[in-house]
Amino acid sequence: MSKSSSHKQQGLIVKALSGFYYVKPDDSQHGETLQCRARGIFKKRGLTPLVGDRVVYSVTENGEGTVEELLPRTSELIRPPVANVDLAVLVFSVSEPELNLQLLDKFLLHIEYADIPAVLCLSKQDLQDEEDAEEIAQAISSVRRIYGGLGYDIFGTSSNRGEGVQQLQERLSGHVAVFAGQSGVGKSSLLNAIVPGLSLATNAISNKLGRGKHTTRHVELIDIGGGYVADTPGFSQLDFEELGIEDLGYGFVEIRELSGDCKFRGCTHSHEPGCAIIAALERGEMEQSRYEHYRLFLAELNDKKRRY
């Protein structure tokens, strides 16, 4: 390959593995990628290219490439490390493992803090037993009432039956999305249903533990036709190290909207007089479970701060 071929081009990092970055050129017709190294200058500046980064790269004489420049990011997640995500799909199963609203609120808190729009996906809608059917129907109804009422889009899916898969794929179109949710909720099965032939490794639930084993080891963007989904090791470390008390309130949509009406600045919404959130709760305008989870996270945050 002649030196003239080293002119700079733009592309998207779709995979990062062992110090290599796999860049999909903007003019790639069939999804081919180019294996690239990053220039040493990034390390000196404390920058690391991430999956999802739009980059300027050049092709070297040996047919590989060099990432020359990172284009400006619209968002950046630390865990999992992905750039330019503009949609988060929180996948929660309605059975095996059963719906956990506290965990759902914890995921939403982190996604809201990262300023990424979220949609909810209730998966495994085909797995319910007859005896659990009524309980599961109530759980689904609660999620639609509480979270639909807060403005979140909610999709119901069954990967086995293919139900709801097309609607979800249409919602993902034009986005770089990240799937989040506890292990074993069917994220990989859902991606396999969206992209036939993908065959991501899936793990059945370990009955003994009631949770799935992690199957994904590195971050990769999957082309779903008109959009990308980051298949990631997931948000396994959901802690509050980087959050302050105000950030906690920001992560709850209804608290964020009402907190400006509190009597005192820096109100923790836990005991203060003139608190707009406590007043809304008493009027039945905020869901009890959401407020309880807020208080729980607040206690966890305060406990962490005391220990460090």
Side-chain angles (χ1 to χ4, degrees):
M1 195 175 281
S2 69
K3 286 195 175 182
S4 63
S5 67
S6 68
H7 67 281
K8 293 179 181 179
Q9 302 170 54
Q10 291 190 8
L12 174 74
I13 297 179
V14 293
K15 184 166 73 168
L17 198 58
S18 309
F20 287 105
Y21 299 95
Y22 296 83
V23 175
K24 182 179 175 184
D26 282 353
D27 58 3
S28 168
Q29 299 298 311
H30 305 290
E32 306 94 341
T33 60
L34 182 72
Q35 182 174 289
C36 297
R37 290 266 190 202
R39 286 184 62 200
I41 189 86
F42 292 124
K43 210 166 209 174
K44 287 180 189 157
R45 291 180 186 159
L47 291 172
T48 304
L50 296 176
V51 168
D53 264 325
R54 298 217 14 88
V55 298
V56 174
Y57 69 95
S58 59
V59 181
T60 56
E61 287 184 357
N62 64 0
E64 291 193 343
T66 304
V67 175
E68 306 276 354
E69 185 188 337
L70 302 182
L71 297 175
R73 291 170 180 161
T74 57
S75 70
E76 179 184 338
L77 289 174
I78 296 164
R79 280 188 307 261
V82 194
N84 300 319
V85 168
D86 58 3
L87 189 67
V89 181
L90 299 189
V91 185
F92 275 71
S93 66
V94 297
S95 60
E96 296 182 31
E98 65 186 44
L99 214 46
N100 180 339
L101 295 189
Q102 183 188 324
L103 191 61
L104 173 54
D105 283 338
K106 204 170 192 182
F107 273 102
L108 277 174
L109 164 63
H110 283 262
I111 295 295
E112 290 286 347
Y113 175 69
D115 269 333
I116 296 171
V119 300
L120 308 186
C121 173
L122 300 178
S123 66
K124 299 192 177 180
Q125 302 223 350
D126 56 312
L127 288 187
Q128 56 205 48
D129 296 327
E130 291 296 315
E131 63 217 53
D132 299 336
E134 193 176 330
E135 202 177 309
I136 288 169
Q138 279 179 346
I140 294 170
S141 169
S142 292
V143 169
R144 292 194 177 277
R145 179 179 58 78
I146 298 169
Y147 299 92
L150 292 170
Y152 293 110
D153 286 343
I154 300 167
F155 295 84
T157 60
S158 159
S159 302
N160 289 347
R161 295 184 191 151
E163 288 167 9
V165 172
Q166 190 181 341
Q167 291 90 324
L168 182 60
Q169 183 170 7
E170 285 165 8
R171 181 68 180 83
L172 296 172
S173 184
H175 293 283
V176 174
V178 64
F179 275 31
Q182 70 194 108
S183 289
V185 294
K187 297 188 291 290
S188 295
S189 300
L190 200 51
L191 282 170
N192 286 337
I194 290 171
V195 188
L198 184 64
S199 63
L200 289 175
T202 61
N203 255 331
I205 290 287
S206 150
N207 284 331
K208 195 172 166 194
L209 297 173
R211 59 179 186 262
K213 302 181 191 72
H214 284 295
T215 49
T216 316
R217 286 282 167 257
H218 64 276
V219 180
E220 185 169 350
L221 286 189
I222 294 161
D223 188 338
I224 59 163
Y228 291 92
V229 169
D231 184 37
T232 73
F235 293 71
S236 54
Q237 300 294 312
L238 283 180
D239 55 39
F240 297 124
E241 273 172 34
E242 67 270 28
L243 298 182
I245 286 168
E246 284 182 9
D247 300 324
L248 198 61
Y250 184 86
F252 283 76
V253 183
E254 60 278 65
I255 294 178
R256 181 163 80 220
E257 288 172 355
L258 287 169
S259 58
D261 297 334
C262 289
K263 187 175 178 181
F264 298 106
R265 277 185 65 127
C267 182
T268 65
H269 321 304
S270 58
H271 60 274
E272 295 87 345
C275 171
I277 281 73
I278 293 174
L281 188 71
E282 286 168 355
R283 292 194 302 268
E285 291 168 13
M286 180 175 177
E287 193 64 36
Q288 188 73 38
S289 66
R290 291 270 292 168
Y291 183 69
E292 282 168 11
H293 296 157
Y294 168 80
R295 290 288 302 267
L296 205 67
F297 301 156
L298 183 66
E300 195 177 321
L301 186 67
N302 286 330
D303 186 47
K304 266 208 159 54
K305 296 221 180 314
R306 268 196 299 275
R307 272 187 282 153
Y308 289 111

